[in-house]
Amino acid sequence: MMMSLRFPFLFSQPTNLPGSGSSSQNNHRTTPRPRFSATFAAATAASIGAAAAAGVAVVSQNPNHPFFQHAANLLLPNSSSLLWASVSLADGSAPVVEPKSGVSFPAVLGSSLTLLGVGLRKKSILGLTNIDVYAFGVYANGDDVKKFLSEKYGNLSAFELKNSKDFNNDLMEADISMTVRLQIVYSKLSIKSIRSAYEESVGSRLQKFSGSDNKELLQRFTSQFKDEYKLPRGSLVELSKEPGYVLKTIIDGKEMGSIESKLLCRSILDLYIGEDPFDRRAKDDVDLNVASLLQQK
């Protein structure tokens, strides 16, 4: 028997959060409030020679919320049946904090995009140290997710979806409205650095998915990051896949351009939720929360 107490949406969080210091120069950045986190897991043997186990990390911003307490009471007692339950943020409309950077992301972007996962882009410097470049949030239109994926994946559990390569490919390939929102964390980042980084990372994905370098397509995308624009700490960059596989780039609210290309959209998403993502924890959150969307009736 499998019981789910999953309510949108789940976000993995480490127990050690950054300090409570804040910067008055960054209006976008918020200091994370203390969080309560716990992990629930259970396992059982179903038949001779077979066993099953499952667990999900759970987080709540308010451990005293009645829903959280009730869920905890249900999960703690010993049980001989297979039990898998997860508890998410008590208030689904509350912003979600990327814990390592302290950057806050709205639960809903615009009128229809739901936050599915948050992560952090790190960059190695000469192989000696890593710097935090930007935090990011991955958003998707829930109605689109259900429209394009429910028939094939609606009856599968989050565990099954997480281990399905087809599911991950279909999520990126389908004409689902999605946005990756970046908030700059590194104070010395230049737009030239962002452009160079995308030339490398997006360029490799274009080659991977098409078998050719697609230099013209890559140049059209990276040329949107013009030297005249600055990216101080707290700047926002949005890479939005709109209906018809149109990729729109927005920097601090100003549209830089749009390109219609399914290949480019797929290559951008692969950086964040593909097989080798910038932040594995963020990808896992996206998988779990897409599963939650698909199970909603």
Side-chain angles (χ1 to χ4, degrees), residues 44-113:
T44 184
S47 58
I48 298 176
V56 171
V58 298
V59 178
S60 174
Q61 289 179 306
N62 181 7
N64 296 318
H65 192 284
F67 172 74
F68 185 92
Q69 296 292 339
H70 177 65
N73 290 335
L74 288 174
L75 291 168
L76 290 175
N78 294 326
S79 174
S80 60
S81 62
L82 176 60
L83 175 64
W84 172 36
S86 55
V87 183
S88 65
L89 298 178
D91 182 0
S93 64
V96 176
V97 175
E98 196 292 309
K100 296 178 182 177
S101 64
V103 172
S104 176
F105 290 89
V108 178
L109 199 60
S111 60
S112 61
L113 298 178

Side-chain angles (χ1 to χ4, degrees), residues 7 19 26 53 95 101 159 164 170 179 184 200-201 237 242 253 276 281 283 288:
F7 280 72
N26 181 8
S101 64
F159 180 78
S164 172
D170 288 344
T179 291
I184 305 304
E200 178 183 349
S201 58
V237 179
E242 303 196 335
D276 186 22
R281 178 173 52 86
K283 170 183 163 47
L288 284 172

Side-chain angles (χ1 to χ4, degrees), residues 186-206:
Y186 185 54
S187 60
K188 298 180 180 180
L189 185 69
S190 68
I191 201 161
K192 181 180 179 180
S193 299
I194 285 284
R195 186 170 62 243
S196 298
Y198 275 136
E199 284 174 350
E200 178 183 349
S201 58
V202 176
S204 67
R205 264 65 174 191
L206 292 173

Side-chain angles (χ1 to χ4, degrees), residues 9-23:
F9 288 103
L10 313 172
F11 296 94
S12 304
Q13 304 282 355
T15 53
N16 296 322
L17 297 179
S20 59
S22 62
S23 172

